Amino acid sequence: MNNLVAQQNAVTELMRVSPLADELAERFARAGHSLYLVGGSVRDALLGRTTNDLDFTTDARPDRVLQIVSEWGDAVWDVGIAFGTVGVTKNGTTLEITTFRADSYDRVGRNPEVTFGDTIEGDLLRRDFTVNAMAIDLVGKTFIDPHDGMDALRLKVLDTPALPQESFADDPLRMMRAARFSAQLGFTAAPRVVEAMTSMSEEIDRITAERVQTELSKLMLAPDPQPGLELLVDTGLADRVLPELPGMRLAIDEHHQHKDVYQHSLTVLAQAIALEKSHEPASGPDLVLRLAALLHDIGKPATREFTPGGGVSFHHHEVVGARMTRKRLRALKYSKEIVEQVSQLVFLHLRFHGYGGGEWTDSAVRRYVTDAGDLLTRLHKLVRADSTTRNKRKAAALQATYDDLEARIARIKEQEDLDRVRPDLDGNEIMRLLGLPPGPQVGQAWKFLKELRLDRGPLEHDEAVAELKKWAAAEGLGSGQPPQN
């Protein structure tokens, strides 16, 4: 299909999927202004991807845009009006309309000095990549592609409308976006883009951790994060934003053979993504699981030791890795919940290997479930994904062993309600039986009973009371009389 036919098809398709665009264009035309659909909306239409978020640009200034859409939209907001953007919702669809921009940057921070432009060509030149620098004139129904974005789309290449050095100097976050689009779209960065990213990687330090984290999260949630992660590592950007990732590239010499931890981690990530849907309970893209899969072995470089006979060990790398994970995710300004969940998965990912051929007692199974808590289904997937051996017999044996563990967990859950493991006696009864007032001694008794519950499963009431009193006597706790008011 030649470009002319493809361009016409794009116009037709966008008009079909978004009659709102045509309706809005008529309003702007009546007001004497142009209106263009731009950016990701055009790109995604050409790729056959659907979106409910539409981006427009116009020669109308922001105050004029507000006048045009105020009576048409279901809701209108002007939070971004200082940057020339007016937001509108109509029939459940979100639209953003931005006045042509011809910004200038001080190349110290990221925010530009906002300057409004007068032409669509000037506006497209300032965009991040040529595949995002195409537009459709909604009034004239014509396709505009001054930077050969259609060819780049066909070749699956990421290139910049301006020189990449100029583009990235204006906004270094575009380098992270290049990695993100590599993951989301399966595109390859043009050689000159890779060269600029490599020579300018330190410029990413101008960008706040929050913005870097947003791009990294989008990359991690893409269908295939690996190309994006490899681009970050190969260009040196990862050294600035996620140094633990390239830090896992351990040299392999002829005397100490072992898996490359970096490549192993990318494989585990890919396998975890496959398990999101294939292993029950199925889920959509899971940021916590994916981050844990990528980072589960980041403690290995710091714990590597060579052993006699040419072996290598990584003792306690899960403990070190959990600490490193927590530190890195905090630096990237992830939420407290995500930090704790990912760190706990990293900490627990080796626990299963003590299961052997099923030698765990029911007590060990209970502790595994209790320690995992709400993360248990993610832990199942992470542990399964962590098997990257090429030995088919060994891989099958590992999966069968984990099948057995999951089956045991299911059986014990049915019998004991493991999701809510509690002592057989509550705090009020502990105080009554031991004659204790509220305080830390009650907490110690409660903890003892919980440990007993994990070890032996549910106890009869009289047995639990006897065990509590025996423990209290040994600890010298309680008078045996009700607490005095």
Side-chain angles (χ1 to χ4, degrees), residues 147-260:
H147 305 290
D148 299 321
M150 181 72 78
D151 285 337
L153 206 64
R154 178 174 54 81
L155 297 171
K156 295 187 175 182
V157 171
L158 282 173
D159 205 349
T160 52
L163 287 173
Q165 289 82 358
E166 294 291 317
S167 181
F168 299 154
D170 282 347
D171 184 1
L173 191 64
R174 289 171 176 171
M175 295 187 288
M176 290 292 299
R177 286 169 61 83
R180 190 243 293 184
F181 285 132
S182 295
Q184 286 183 331
L185 304 175
F187 285 14
T188 301
R192 69 173 192 163
V193 170
V194 174
E195 181 182 351
M197 291 173 67
T198 304
S199 64
M200 301 177 67
S201 59
E202 293 184 3
E203 292 293 309
I204 198 66
D205 295 346
R206 289 163 43 194
I207 305 301
T208 64
E210 290 85 353
R211 288 184 177 274
V212 169
Q213 179 243 101
T214 296
E215 288 298 327
L216 179 61
S217 295
K218 290 178 180 179
L219 185 163
M220 290 296 296
L221 290 170
D224 182 11
Q226 182 166 334
L229 293 170
E230 290 178 331
L231 184 58
L232 291 180
V233 170
D234 293 344
T235 58
L237 274 167
D239 291 326
R240 319 298 300 186
V241 301
L242 192 61
E244 296 80 5
L245 183 58
M248 288 191 283
R249 293 187 295 186
L250 299 179
I252 303 176
D253 62 54
E254 60 180 336
H255 302 294
H256 298 99
Q257 295 291 329
H258 59 82
K259 293 179 181 177
D260 179 80

Side-chain angles (χ1 to χ4, degrees), residues 418-434:
L418 284 183
D419 290 331
R420 290 186 295 275
V421 171
R422 294 289 185 274
D424 295 286
L425 306 174
D426 65 19
N428 289 328
E429 196 163 9
I430 290 170
M431 288 190 289
R432 181 180 65 79
L433 289 168
L434 299 183

